[in-house]
Amino acid sequence: MKKNIVIVLALSFVAVINLTAQQNASLKVKSGLTINKKAVNFIAMGDWGRNGEDKQREVAIQMGISAKILSTDFLISTGDNFYPSGVASTQDHRWIDSYEDIYTAHSLQQNWYVVLGNHDYKGNVQAEIDYTKIDRRWNMPARYYSKKIIMNDDTTQQALLIFIDTTPFIEEYYKNADHADVKTQDTAQQRKWLEAELSNASPNIKWRIVVGHHPLFTGGKRMNRDATLQLNHLLKPIFDQYKVDAYICGHEHNLQYIKPTGTTHYFVSGAGSETTPTILHPDGGRFALSENGFIAFSLTPKILTAQIISYKGKVLYKTEIVK
């Protein structure tokens, strides 16, 4: 009997320690965050699916804390959802090990809007699309799609979110047998669709935000690689023509904010697990850090606020884009 009491007390002590740690983390985040619960709030995070390793689990815990404080409305994944080779099917164990059992906080049980990364193309892409019908929070109805978000419960105040599939636009993947599925994709059709979505001239659309996996600008190791230059050459003229406000991506395993010439603000949020080095981009780099974390965004009809948050709960950088 005494042994049982000791075990219960020990477990209670551990629970108190865990709760205190979470409370302290919450206070750390809250002290630096700009909180606007009347805004549309969302978190963007990418390059994450590693069975909880490489600080994936720690990032997930902090996401849950921040999402609760901010009253987050939804989450965005910028791709490379499952390492090293996507998923094999909708029954693959990676769904449990790298997603269901990691992002468990109540505040993260919101819609996840997901794009594909190059590592996802090494697996069964259709399985990630089909999982939309299995898991109520996983949203990837197609390889590319769009979503209109209403602000202030007012249908005349909208943000247009466009989720694109960048891997088929990049030549190097056509030479790699691991990415054979790119050859089945009609990139001309996707580009035509993208321009049609962006050309929507409705006065109700206050923000145009595009989400993809690969960067157009980066201070990471891929700064001058062909893939980055190709995507920049293809998409930047489109973004400039249609006045895209922000492009959010991953692929580089770090956190960056870049504002080059043109209309668009570029955010890299690929630090959901493993991290890689980065520097400030020479053309408009405002922030760059190789640290695990994510970016929290808040949208009102006039202001887009971006807050870069580390897995330890520190607000690393904050910026406002004003209409």
Side-chain angles (χ1 to χ4, degrees):
M1 182 67 180
K2 290 182 178 179
K3 183 178 180 180
N4 290 339
I5 292 172
V6 170
I7 291 172
V8 170
L9 288 173
L11 290 173
S12 299
F13 181 67
V14 170
V16 169
I17 291 175
N18 288 338
L19 179 60
T20 302
Q22 290 182 8
Q23 289 173 338
N24 287 340
S26 177
L27 289 173
K28 286 180 183 177
V29 176
K30 192 170 183 178
S31 65
L33 271 178
T34 296
I35 302 170
N36 184 355
K37 294 188 177 182
K38 293 183 179 180
V40 171
N41 296 297
F42 63 95
I43 283 173
M45 178 273 303
D47 302 85
W48 44 271
R50 294 180 184 270
N51 298 72
E53 297 181 1
D54 294 310
K55 293 191 171 64
Q56 183 194 0
R57 193 177 298 276
E58 289 86 340
V59 172
I61 291 170
Q62 197 59 247
M63 283 172 60
I65 294 168
S66 297
K68 182 176 181 179
I69 294 169
L70 291 166
S71 296
T72 297
D73 297 288
F74 58 90
L75 298 104
I76 286 175
S77 168
T78 61
D80 276 2
N81 308 310
F82 300 98
Y83 288 94
S85 303
V87 292
S89 69
T90 57
Q91 304 303 312
D92 195 312
H93 69 89
R94 289 188 177 97
W95 289 106
I96 303 300
D97 296 340
S98 288
Y99 172 60
E100 302 285 1
D101 284 354
I102 303 297
Y103 304 98
T104 57
H106 181 70
S107 59
L108 302 181
Q109 308 310 304
Q110 307 284 344
N111 285 330
W112 285 53
Y113 297 107
V114 185
V115 299
L116 295 164
N118 51 293
H119 280 271
D120 300 304
Y121 260 90
K122 291 184 176 183
N124 185 342
V125 170
Q126 189 59 45
E128 293 200 36
I129 295 171
D130 291 344
Y131 206 70
T132 301
K133 300 175 183 178
I134 295 174
D135 181 72
R136 67 178 296 174
R137 60 176 172 164
W138 184 269
N139 286 268
M140 191 197 297
R143 295 180 192 235
Y144 50 91
Y145 58 99
S146 64
K147 176 77 176 177
K148 289 179 181 174
I149 303 295
I150 296 173
M151 295 175 283
N152 295 337
D153 295 321
D154 182 353
T155 56
T156 68
Q157 310 286 331
Q158 299 178 2
L160 175 62
L161 302 183
I162 299 177
F163 301 88
I164 62 174
D165 182 14
T166 56
T167 303
F169 287 123
I170 296 170
E171 291 179 8
E172 68 181 66
Y173 298 120
Y174 290 82
K175 304 171 185 176
N176 191 329
D178 289 344
H179 298 84
D181 197 19
V182 295
K183 297 177 181 178
T184 69
Q185 301 308 300
D186 186 342
T187 54
Q189 180 60 36
Q190 183 181 175
R191 180 175 175 175
K192 182 178 178 181
W193 169 86
L194 173 61
E195 293 203 56
E197 290 288 317
L198 289 174
S199 65
N200 187 333
S202 170
N204 297 338
I205 298 175
K206 308 304 180 184
W207 298 97
R208 286 172 170 79
I209 299 172
V210 179
V211 180
H213 179 62
H214 294 82
L216 278 66
F217 293 89
T218 173
K221 63 183 181 180
R222 298 177 173 94
M223 183 189 300
N224 296 311
R225 290 191 181 176
D226 288 344
T228 304
L229 300 177
Q230 287 166 11
L231 204 62
N232 186 302
H233 181 74
L234 173 69
L235 294 181
K236 189 176 186 298
I238 296 174
F239 291 177
D240 288 343
Q241 178 181 352
Y242 295 104
K243 294 181 170 53
V244 169
D245 296 291
Y247 177 66
I248 306 169
C249 70
H251 196 48
E252 294 280 40
H253 297 183
N254 43 58
L255 300 164
Q256 300 180 56
Y257 167 47
I258 304 165
K259 179 58 183 72
T261 57
T263 304
T264 310
H265 298 253
Y266 293 86
F267 296 92
V268 177
S269 185
S273 56
E274 179 192 62
T275 58
T276 55
T278 185
I279 61 172
L280 281 178
H281 192 278
D283 182 10
R286 305 286 180 85
F287 177 85
L289 188 66
S290 177
E291 184 164 343
N292 292 97
F294 49 90
I295 305 180
F297 294 90
S298 296
L299 278 174
T300 70
K302 295 290 186 182
I303 300 174
L304 185 160
T305 302
Q307 302 181 85
I308 301 177
I309 303 169
S310 81
Y311 76 102
K312 295 179 180 179
K314 182 179 180 181
V315 179
L316 302 170
Y317 185 84
K318 188 182 305 183
T319 189
E320 285 189 349
I321 304 168
V322 180
K323 280 289 187 181

